[in-house]
Amino acid sequence: MTAPTLAVFKLASCDGCQLTLLDCEDELLALAEKVEIAHFPEASSALRPGPYDLALVEGSVTTPADAERVQEIRAQSRFLVTIGACATAGGIQALRNFSDVEEFTRTVYARPDYIDTLATSTPVSAHVDVDFELRGCPIDRGQLLEVITAFLAGRKPDVPNHSVCFECKRRGTVCVTVAHGTPCLGPVTHAGCGAICPAYGRGCYGCFGPSGSVNLPALIPLLHRDGMDDRDTERFLRTFNAAAFAKERQP
Amino acid sequence: MTHRGSRVLRVGSLARVEGEGALHLRVHNGRVEEARLQIYEPPRFFEAFLRGRSYTEPPDITARVCGICPVAYQMSACQAIEDACGVTVDRPIRDLRRLLYCGEWIESHALHIYLLHAPDFLGCDSAVDLARTDRTAVQRGLRLKQAGNALLTQLGGRAIHPVNVRLGGFHRTPTSAELRPLAEQLRRAAEDARKTVRWVAGFDFPDAVVDADFLALASPSTYAIEGGTPTRLRADGTLTTFPLPSFLDHVREAQVPHSTALHSRLDGRRHLTGPLARYAISGNLLSPAALEAAREAGLGPECRNPYRSVLVRAVEVVYAVDEALRIIDAYEPPPRPYVDVPPVEATGHGATEAPRGLLYHRYRLDAEGTVTDAQLVPPTAQNQGAIEDDLVRSVQTAITDHDASDHELTHLCERLIRNHDPCISCATHFLDLTVERT
C-alpha cells in the first residue's frame, strides 16, 4: 500500500501556519514515513503533480489569480483542510474589507497601478468546499497533528469547539477579567491555543476566532465595564479574525 | 521550447524559501542584461491598516508580517514606539528581550541551515530526503531548532507569534526556576551548534563574491541583535555610521513594476544586510566559542562569498546559544515586568537585527497614542537589489564559461537566492524562471 500524499499550499499569509508543520521537531521524520510529502514548496524542491490525498491550505484569497488557484487546489485535493486565521477567516489582511482598498494601495505603494488586488480578503470556504477548518493565528501544533492523525486513521478530528475559558479552567489560571478587570475575549474565542494569554497575565485577543456558540452582544458591556470605549472594543474585535467576529456581531 | 539563442521558458518553482517569487532573466547576444526577481506575494497592506490603531498594538499586529521572524517585528515595533514616547527600558528587561531574540535566531537559523539550505549542498530535495542518508544530521538540526523554540515558548508563550511582548517589556517575566530547565537544553544545543559549524564547513562552496555595501547595526560592546547604530561597510573597507532617525534619508525605497516588494538603495548604492554584513561589521564581538568555531571553519574577519553565508549563520547560532546561556545564568527577575509607556505626540524609530537582516520601523503617533503613519523596511526588500546583481554576475559566468542550459541556470539561481535566505513573505514560494534570449 502506498502512503497517502500530502500537499501544502500558500495564499496570502505570513507562512506561520505551515511553519507549524516544520515546528513538529519530534514528529516530523516519523510523519514523513506515514505520508508522502508530495507538494510542500517551503520544505522541498521536489514538487509532484496532484491529485493529492490531503491538502493543507494556508492564507486567504486576495488576488484574482489566487481566486482561480484555489479552484485548482480544490480540484486536485481529495481532502482539503484550511489552516489558520487567514485561510478560515480572511486573516489580518481582511481589515481591507472594512475600508477602501484603493486608499490602502495608495498608502503603501507609489504606483498603485502596478498592484493587482481584490477589494476583499476572504476565507477559502468562500470560494470552494472545505472539508475541515483549523483555526488560529497561528494554528496550534497539537491540533495540527490531531487533524493529520485523524485523517490517516479515517476518523473525524477531535478539535473541540468550546471557548478559551474552558482551557483557562483546565490550566488553573485565575480569570483575568474577574480578578483584575482585564478585558478578555476568552469567553467568545475558539479553544486551541491552551489559553496562553491569560496564563501570561493578559486578556485573550481572539486569535482563534469565534467559538462554536458565541453570545458576542453579552460580552460588549463587560468590555465597556473594564474600561474600553466603543472604538477600543471595535479594534479589539477587528484584528486577526476581523471578518469572523464581524459576522457574529450581526443580529 | 524554442532555440536557445532566443527563447522564453518557464521552469520549476522556487522552493525552500519563505513566500512566493519568480525570476525573469533577459539575455541578449550571450550577455545577461537584466535579472528581475519578481515578488508576487499578494500585498497585505500592513502600513495602511496600522493607521488608526492604538500605539499598543503594532507589536502584536506586525508580528503577523512574518511567521518565521515575528520577534524581530515585535522588537523593532516596541523600540520605535518607546522611542517616540521617550521611554528607555532598563537593563534586565533589555536582557530578557535579547534572550527572546536569541531564541528566534537559533530557531530561524537552524530552520534555514538544515531544512532550507543544506539540501542544496548535499544534492537533496529536502531535509526529509536528506534524513534518508544522514538522519543524525537532520535530527541534530531539529534538536537545535527545538531549543530555540523552547526559549521562545517559555518567554513568549508560543514560538510563532509570541503573546508575552508588550510596550515597555513583558506581560509577565519568568522566574529563575522557569529558566533553569532551558539552560540544560541550551547546553546540549551548544554542542549541537558547534557540530553544525563543523558539518557545514565540510560543504563544497563555489567561489563567488558580493561587492555590495554591507549594512548592519553595531553596538560598542556587544554583537548587535536587539538594537544599535546603522553602520555601513563599503567593499573598500570604509566604515561609516548614521543616526537611526535619518534611516529613510539613506535607505530609500522605490517601487518597481515587477514586484509587490519595494526595492531600496543605500545612498544610491546596492546594499546587503544580514549575517554577512553583521559578521563583517561586528565579528570581533562574538563569544570566544563562536570566534573559535569561525576560525576552525576557515572564516576570516570578513566573508563576501554568499554561498558561505550558511557558515556565518552556523557561527551565529553558536553565539546565540552562548549569549542565551550567559543571560540565563545572570538572570534575576526585574522588580516589574514592564515600564509604563504613556503616549506622546511624536515620531519614533526602531531597528533590530532580524535573522535575515536589519528591520526598520517608524511610527507617528498623535497625543492619544493613535498611530497616524507607519513605515516598515524589511531586510528582503533591502537585499533584493544585491540579490539581482549577484544573479546577473553568476548567470553571466555560467553562460560565458559553458553555455549553461536553462535547467542548470534554474538550479544555479535557486541556490543563489536561497543563499540570502530571503523572506519573501516579508517582502514573498515559486521560482518561475523565465529566460528571454534575444
Side-chain angles (χ1 to χ4, degrees):
Chain A
M1 206 178 94
T2 57
T5 50
L6 173 74
V8 182
F9 295 97
K10 174 190 152 65
L11 306 169
S13 66
C14 78
D15 278 47
C17 291
Q18 55 178 314
L19 177 65
T20 306
L21 193 55
L22 299 178
D23 274 358
C24 298
E25 289 102 357
D26 287 331
E27 300 87 6
L28 187 65
L29 295 180
L31 183 68
E33 286 160 12
K34 299 278 182 207
V35 296
E36 184 198 335
I37 300 176
H39 178 100
F40 187 4
E42 176 162 298
S44 174
S45 42
L47 303 176
R48 293 181 198 105
Y52 310 106
D53 293 306
L54 173 62
L56 303 174
V57 183
E58 173 191 90
S60 65
V61 177
T62 62
T63 62
D66 277 352
E68 279 177 35
R69 192 151 70 97
V70 81
Q71 301 289 341
E72 286 164 35
I73 293 170
R74 174 70 269 187
Q76 55 186 331
S77 309
R78 188 160 70 82
F79 199 76
L80 191 158
V81 175
T82 53
I83 55 169
C86 297
T88 61
I92 182 92
Q93 53 273 6
L95 287 170
R96 78 183 70 183
N97 303 7
F98 308 94
S99 192
D100 173 7
V101 79
E102 283 182 22
E103 199 257 314
F104 272 26
T105 313
R106 282 197 303 273
T107 303
V108 180
Y109 296 99
R111 289 292 303 267
D113 51 311
Y114 293 163
I115 303 297
D116 192 16
T117 186
L118 294 170
T120 53
S121 167
T122 43
V124 174
S125 63
H127 299 262
V128 295
D129 284 338
V130 169
D131 297 296
F132 191 80
E133 293 190 305
L134 190 60
R135 314 284 200 88
C137 181
I139 56 169
D140 175 74
R141 191 177 55 195
Q143 288 201 335
L144 177 63
L145 286 170
E146 165 58 21
V147 167
I148 297 172
T149 312
F151 169 78
L152 290 172
R155 61 169 172 82
K156 200 167 165 279
D158 181 16
V159 172
N161 209 8
H162 56 233
S163 75
V164 168
C165 290
F166 285 74
E167 300 191 303
C168 253
K169 300 294 167 285
R170 195 174 298 143
R171 196 167 174 151
T173 304
V174 172
C175 178
V176 294
T177 301
V178 172
H180 310 293
T182 304
C184 180
L185 292 180
V188 296
T189 298
H190 198 282
C193 66
I196 313 165
C197 286
Y200 279 79
R202 70 182 292 189
C204 164
Y205 59 79
C207 65
F208 274 61
S211 60
S213 48
V214 172
N215 185 354
L216 202 51
L219 182 73
I220 309 256
L222 215 61
L223 297 177
H224 288 159
R225 184 202 69 186
D226 292 335
M228 294 190 121
D229 63 19
D230 284 339
R231 213 167 136 230
D232 296 333
T233 306
E234 185 182 291
R235 279 199 296 245
F236 206 24
L237 291 167
R238 282 192 184 175
T239 312
F240 309 111
N241 288 276
F245 278 118
K247 214 185 268 173
E248 294 296 335
R249 283 179 90 171
Q250 285 160 7
Chain B
M1 201 77 38
T2 53
H3 184 261
R4 189 177 274 187
S6 67
R7 64 177 153 174
V8 173
L9 74 140
R10 304 171 73 80
V11 261
S13 49
L14 178 58
R16 285 185 276 118
V17 297
E18 301 133 30
E20 305 203 324
L23 180 69
H24 183 93
L25 290 176
R26 192 151 50 82
V27 183
H28 181 63
N29 287 339
R31 254 182 59 86
V32 186
E33 294 195 323
E34 193 182 18
R36 292 198 318 235
L37 180 58
Q38 291 169 262
I39 290 184
Y40 55 85
E41 179 84 8
R44 296 171 67 214
F45 302 117
F46 278 85
E47 288 157 325
F49 57 65
L50 282 164
R51 291 181 173 185
R53 304 298 296 207
S54 165
Y55 76 125
T56 56
E57 294 181 288
D60 287 326
I61 291 180
T62 60
R64 269 67 182 185
V65 172
C66 177
I68 290 111
C69 60
V71 171
Y73 280 86
Q74 295 187 321
M75 293 297 118
S76 289
C78 284
Q79 216 194 73
I81 296 163
E82 288 158 11
D83 174 54
C85 301
V87 168
T88 320
V89 300
D90 341 320
R91 167 60 74 209
I93 289 174
R94 287 215 303 277
D95 283 346
L96 272 183
R97 283 183 167 173
R98 191 171 169 88
L99 180 62
L100 180 71
Y101 222 140
C102 285
E104 180 154 292
W105 271 34
I106 297 165
E107 178 278 324
S108 176
H109 276 356
L111 170 81
H112 187 257
I113 294 167
Y114 281 91
L115 272 63
L116 310 184
H117 205 182
D120 273 345
F121 294 94
L122 303 168
C124 308
D125 294 323
S126 67
V128 168
D129 189 16
L130 174 58
R132 290 187 192 107
T133 52
D134 195 349
R135 199 176 175 95
T136 313
V138 176
Q139 282 173 326
R140 181 174 62 231
L142 291 169
R143 213 162 46 226
L144 198 51
K145 181 165 162 296
Q146 196 168 36
N149 277 335
L151 246 180
L152 290 164
T153 306
Q154 175 58 50
L155 268 176
R158 62 183 170 201
I160 303 169
H161 305 329
V163 303
N164 192 25
V165 170
R166 56 162 290 162
L167 293 184
F170 293 86
H171 290 278
R172 186 170 83 74
T173 45
T175 62
S176 303
E178 283 173 324
L179 290 185
R180 215 167 296 130
L182 285 173
E184 283 165 35
Q185 192 173 2
L186 284 165
R187 271 187 270 277
R188 285 195 300 275
E191 187 52 37
D192 285 335
R194 281 192 289 271
K195 282 186 182 156
T196 301
V197 176
R198 286 197 284 270
W199 182 62
V200 171
F203 292 173
D204 185 16
F205 297 106
D207 286 329
V209 177
V210 276
D211 62 2
D213 290 1
F214 284 152
L215 178 67
L217 298 173
S219 294
S221 57
T222 182
Y223 200 73
I225 301 179
E226 78 293 357
T229 306
T231 302
R232 169 187 21 208
L233 177 65
R234 289 204 173 174
D236 64 8
T238 327
L239 203 62
T240 50
T241 64
F242 56 85
L244 188 58
S246 66
F247 187 85
L248 292 174
D249 298 330
H250 292 276
V251 178
R252 290 191 178 268
E253 289 190 300
Q255 196 182 354
V256 290
H258 62 266
S259 177
T260 53
L262 301 171
H263 273 223
S264 45
R265 299 268 186 144
L266 174 60
D267 294 324
R269 296 158 59 92
R270 291 195 164 166
H271 70 287
L272 191 67
T273 74
L276 293 181
R278 287 192 292 253
Y279 179 78
I281 288 168
S282 302
N284 58 322
L285 295 171
L286 287 166
S287 61
L291 282 169
E292 175 67 20
R295 197 191 54 75
E296 269 180 34
L299 281 170
E302 184 178 301
C303 170
R304 286 192 165 267
N305 182 340
Y307 290 95
R308 291 168 81 92
S309 64
V310 65
L311 198 46
V312 178
R313 277 190 186 87
V315 167
E316 285 194 338
V317 177
V318 175
Y319 176 71
V321 173
D322 277 357
E323 188 64 359
L325 277 167
R326 183 190 68 77
I327 296 168
I328 291 176
D329 286 344
Y331 179 67
E332 279 178 37
R336 287 191 63 203
Y338 58 90
V339 293
D340 290 317
V341 183
V344 173
E345 184 180 349
T347 298
H349 311 262
T352 65
E353 284 292 337
R356 35 201 75 65
L358 197 157
L359 169 64
Y360 169 83
H361 287 209
R362 184 192 76 184
Y363 300 93
R364 271 200 202 111
L365 311 178
D366 69 14
E368 280 77 50
T370 303
V371 175
T372 58
D373 184 67
Q375 288 281 330
L376 314 176
V377 184
T380 294
Q382 298 182 66
N383 288 346
Q384 205 175 331
I387 298 175
E388 287 179 351
D389 257 6
D390 201 10
L391 289 165
V392 168
R393 202 174 16 241
S394 302
V395 169
Q396 186 65 65
T397 307
I399 289 176
T400 311
D401 281 4
H402 60 281
D403 192 21
S405 70
D406 291 324
H407 178 76
E408 282 174 80
L409 288 184
T410 307
H411 184 65
L412 173 70
C413 292
E414 289 196 349
R415 285 193 71 176
L416 285 164
I417 293 169
R418 279 195 288 265
N419 284 341
H420 295 285
D421 188 17
C423 183
I424 306 183
S425 304
C426 288
T428 289
H429 273 172
F430 300 108
L431 181 65
D432 269 328
L433 175 68
T434 327
V435 184
E436 189 189 317
R437 286 187 163 96
T438 53

